[in-house]
Amino acid sequence: MPASPPKPVLVLRSLLVVVAIALVAGCAGRTVATPSAPDESILAPAEQALAKARSAEAERFAPRAVDASRRRIATARDILFDAARSSRDLNATEQDRVERLVAAAELDARSALVQTQARAVQAKLAELQGQLGQGQSSQTQQGVSP
C-alpha cells in the first residue's frame, strides 16, 4: 500500500486549488470597460489648415508656426481623450479651452502657410530681378542704353 501524503500537504493543495478557482472565476466575471473614442471632429478645421500648410512645405519655411499648431492640436486632443477615458462629456471650461486651442492652431497653420507663400514670392521676385539685371547688363555691354 502506497504511503498517503501527510494531511497538511492535502489541505494546502486543496486550499491552492480553491484560491485558483476563485481567481479565475473572479476574472471571468469582470468586464473591462474600454474608454469610448471622443468625437474629434472639432479638431478638423485646425487639422485641415495644418495639412494645407505642410503640403506647401511650411515645415521648412515656418517651422515654429507649424510646431505651435501641432502642439495646440495635441493639447486639445488630450483634453478630449481625458474626458472620454472618464466616460463623460466635456464640461464648459474644457469645451471653451478646446475651441480656443483649435482656433489658435488654425491661425498658427494659416500663418505658416502665409509665411511660406511670402518666401516663395520673395524667391520668385529675386529670380526675376536677377534676370532683369542680367538683361540690362548685357544691353549695356552691347552699347545699348536702357
Side-chain angles (χ1 to χ4, degrees):
M1 177 173 219
S4 63
K7 285 200 182 236
V9 172
L10 285 176
V11 171
L12 185 58
R13 281 186 190 166
S14 300
L15 184 59
L16 286 175
V17 169
V18 170
V19 169
I21 291 172
L23 283 174
V24 170
C27 291
R30 206 179 291 161
T31 58
V32 178
T34 56
S36 60
D39 178 15
E40 294 183 66
S41 63
I42 192 169
L43 304 176
E47 289 177 330
Q48 290 168 354
L50 182 59
K52 188 173 183 178
R54 291 180 68 203
S55 70
E57 297 184 31
E59 290 173 316
R60 182 173 150 204
F61 297 107
R64 288 184 180 149
V66 170
D67 286 342
S69 179
R70 197 178 288 133
R71 280 192 313 272
R72 291 176 202 257
I73 291 170
T75 301
R77 182 174 283 116
D78 287 346
I79 294 168
L80 293 173
F81 273 91
D82 284 344
R85 270 188 230 104
S86 301
S87 299
R88 62 176 176 79
D89 291 331
L90 295 176
N91 61 38
T93 304
E94 291 169 328
Q95 182 70 33
D96 182 54
R97 182 153 187 238
V98 167
E99 289 171 0
R100 284 186 287 118
L101 284 165
V102 168
E106 187 175 4
L107 288 175
D108 288 334
R110 287 183 179 182
S111 173
L113 180 60
V114 169
Q115 290 175 43
T116 301
Q117 290 170 339
R119 295 254 174 118
V121 168
Q122 288 173 343
K124 188 65 174 174
L125 181 60
E127 178 187 327
L128 292 174
Q129 286 175 336
Q131 289 174 356
L132 183 62
Q134 288 176 353
Q136 287 178 350
S137 66
S138 67
Q139 287 177 356
T140 305
Q141 289 174 354
Q142 295 174 359
V144 179
S145 62

